[in-house]
């Protein structure tokens, strides 16, 4: 049995494993999130919490598509005050909690961040990237100025590690990640879902009531991996990879691309809670077989090897 530790430190948060669940997929019920932790995750991420109770979009809000799922829930949640006790319950069970949150205005983001910090969360994940709502700020993560402003305002409200979750549905994710870093983010979660849609050919209309939804699962992995790669080159804060992680090989790709930790979402629906333990074990074996003593040694390694190859190619090129 290997003794290699999978512990990581992300933005000051020490985790026994680099794995977390992605916000939303498993809701917020403390016993369910406890199962994620018991299955091997290092921390759990809550469903995105807003300032007030919100019903979200009417059904259908979720549809399975090839290689993934499309969802357009519309951020349903019972409001920040309700979550205070849920967060406390998770903490009493010994589970590290990352509270995902959103607001409809800069002030609301700050207000919710403050409530969740006082509730005892270990870290906050600012959801700047839900593709399914038209709030006052629109899809926040498509505007670097808004991202910087909201991040900076939230930063003043909390001393907790602050992750900012970005969207792949932007022209240049590097620019947005740098704005979050300027605003005081401690880490970037890359990325939320990819905007997509599905049509029912018999009813001849979109399946989701919201028409479009966010695509998750293996289909988005190459896109999300590219985002992690780009963000890791653009910022000096840690990157948390999210998007289609299903196997340990996916996880290693993300680590090599520059992710310091990973969120697994849709794979829980297809592979069950066991996915956390399976991915942990695969990572551990990979580290062992490749002579690494910990995860830190792998994070971003593909960038360094790429640079070495470039400089070798330069040295070998024949100049005329
Ligand atoms: C939703 O509730 O519509 C999805 C949340 C998200 O993608 O951030």
């Amino acid at each position: 049995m290997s003794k290699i530790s999978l512990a990581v430190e992300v933005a000051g948060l020490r985790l026994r494993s680099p794995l977390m669940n992605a916000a939303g997929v498993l809701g917020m019920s403390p016993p369910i999130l406890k199962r994620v932790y018991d299955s091997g995750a290092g921390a759990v991420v809550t469903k995105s919490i807003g300032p007030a109770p919100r019903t979200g979009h009417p059904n259908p809000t979720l549809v399975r598509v090839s290689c993934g799922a499309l969802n357009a829930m519309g951020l349903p949640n019972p409001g920040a005050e309700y979550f205070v006790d849920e967060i406390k319950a998770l903490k009493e069970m010994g589970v590290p909690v990352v509270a995902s949150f959103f607001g409809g205005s800069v002030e609301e983001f700050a207000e919710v961040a403050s409530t969740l910090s006082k509730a005892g969360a270990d870290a906050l994940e600012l959801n700047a990237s839900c593709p399914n709502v038209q709030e006052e700020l629109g899809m926040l993560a498509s505007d670097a100025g808004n991202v910087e402003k909201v991040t900076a305002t939230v930063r003043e409200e909390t001393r907790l590690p602050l992750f900012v979750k970005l969207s792949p549905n932007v022209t240049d994710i590097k620019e947005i990640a740098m704005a979050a870093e300027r605003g005081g983010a401690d880490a970037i979660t890359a990325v939320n879902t990819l905007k997509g849609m599905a049509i029912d050919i018999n009813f001849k209309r979109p399946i989701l009531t919201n028409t479009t939804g966010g695509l998750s699962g293996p289909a988005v992995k190459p896109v999300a991996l590219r985002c992690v790669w780009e963000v890791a080159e653009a910022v000096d804060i840690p990157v948390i990879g999210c998007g289609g992680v299903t196997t340990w090989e996916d996880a290693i790709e993300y680590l090599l691309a520059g992710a310091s930790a990973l969120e697994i979402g849709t794979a829980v629906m297809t592979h069950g809670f066991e996915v956390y333990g399976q991915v942990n074990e695969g990572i551990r074996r990979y580290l062992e077989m490749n002579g690494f003593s910990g995860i830190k040694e792998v994070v971003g390694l593909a960038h360094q090897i790429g640079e070495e190859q470039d400089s070798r190619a330069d040295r070998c090129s024949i100049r005329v």
Side-chain angles (χ1 to χ4, degrees):
M1 175 81 174
S2 164
K3 289 285 172 270
I4 289 184
S5 163
L6 296 186
V8 292
E9 193 181 312
V10 184
L13 192 64
R14 195 160 166 77
L15 306 174
R16 64 180 186 178
S17 147
L19 308 182
M20 295 173 259
N21 61 298
V25 183
L26 293 165
M28 175 61 210
S29 146
I32 292 191
L33 291 178
K34 172 81 162 48
R35 280 188 68 187
V36 171
Y37 186 67
D38 290 345
S39 305
V44 301
V45 185
T46 68
K47 173 145 193 59
S48 290
I49 302 165
R54 179 185 167 105
T55 48
H57 299 311
N59 281 326
T61 52
L62 178 70
V63 55
R64 292 287 283 272
V65 292
S66 44
C67 300
L70 270 171
N71 91 82
M73 305 287 176
L75 295 170
N77 79 98
E81 286 304 332
Y82 176 90
F83 276 109
V84 169
D85 287 342
E86 309 283 294
I87 290 172
K88 286 188 178 146
L90 279 163
K91 294 300 304 167
E92 275 161 22
M93 291 189 261
V95 180
V97 180
V98 178
S100 168
F101 71 105
F102 69 94
S105 64
V106 177
E107 295 71 30
E108 282 184 5
F109 270 98
E111 180 195 314
V112 182
S114 164
T115 306
L116 300 175
S117 302
K118 288 179 195 147
D122 296 280
L124 300 180
E125 184 174 83
L126 190 163
N127 184 356
S129 46
C130 175
N132 307 322
V133 289
Q134 288 303 321
E135 301 293 336
E136 188 189 322
L137 294 169
M139 201 203 56
L140 179 62
S142 59
D143 183 296
N146 278 342
V147 168
E148 183 171 348
K149 189 160 110 190
V150 172
T151 308
T153 309
V154 168
R155 179 73 290 167
E156 284 175 16
E157 288 296 325
T158 182
R159 297 170 70 92
L160 291 181
L162 177 62
F163 311 163
V164 176
K165 187 169 183 178
L166 298 186
S167 171
N169 306 306
V170 293
T171 310
D172 184 0
I173 194 166
K174 300 188 292 299
E175 188 194 321
I176 315 283
M178 288 189 285
E181 186 179 36
R182 280 195 302 276
D186 297 304
I188 302 292
T189 305
V191 281
N192 207 317
T193 52
L194 198 56
K195 197 167 177 180
M197 71 179 294
I199 292 180
D200 186 314
I201 58 168
N202 296 312
F203 285 109
K204 304 173 188 65
R205 63 179 64 153
I207 296 177
L208 296 169
T209 42
N210 190 52
T211 306
T212 59
L215 179 64
S216 59
V220 306
K221 199 199 88 189
V223 175
L225 188 67
R226 181 268 302 169
C227 290
V228 166
W229 178 276
E230 291 185 351
V231 172
E233 294 207 330
V235 298
D236 291 324
I237 51 180
V239 184
I240 298 164
C242 180
V245 179
T246 309
T247 63
W248 67 266
E249 289 95 334
D250 295 332
I252 298 294
E253 275 191 83
Y254 271 98
L255 296 173
L256 290 167
S260 298
L262 300 163
E263 294 182 359
I264 300 183
T266 304
V268 189
M269 296 198 278
T270 50
H271 290 61
F273 289 94
E274 299 74 36
V275 70
Y276 296 100
Q278 289 161 0
V279 173
N280 273 340
E281 261 328 291
I283 296 175
R284 208 189 301 273
R285 269 199 317 275
Y286 177 87
L287 295 178
E288 203 171 54
M289 289 177 68
N290 286 274
F292 295 116
S293 61
I295 287 185
K296 214 169 151 189
E297 292 169 27
V298 181
V299 173
L301 199 56
H303 294 263
Q304 289 170 31
I305 290 176
E307 278 165 22
E308 278 165 22
Q309 278 165 351
D310 287 350
S311 72
R312 216 176 307 137
D314 269 359
R315 285 198 303 276
C316 296
S317 61
I318 299 168
R319 301 194 201 287
V320 286

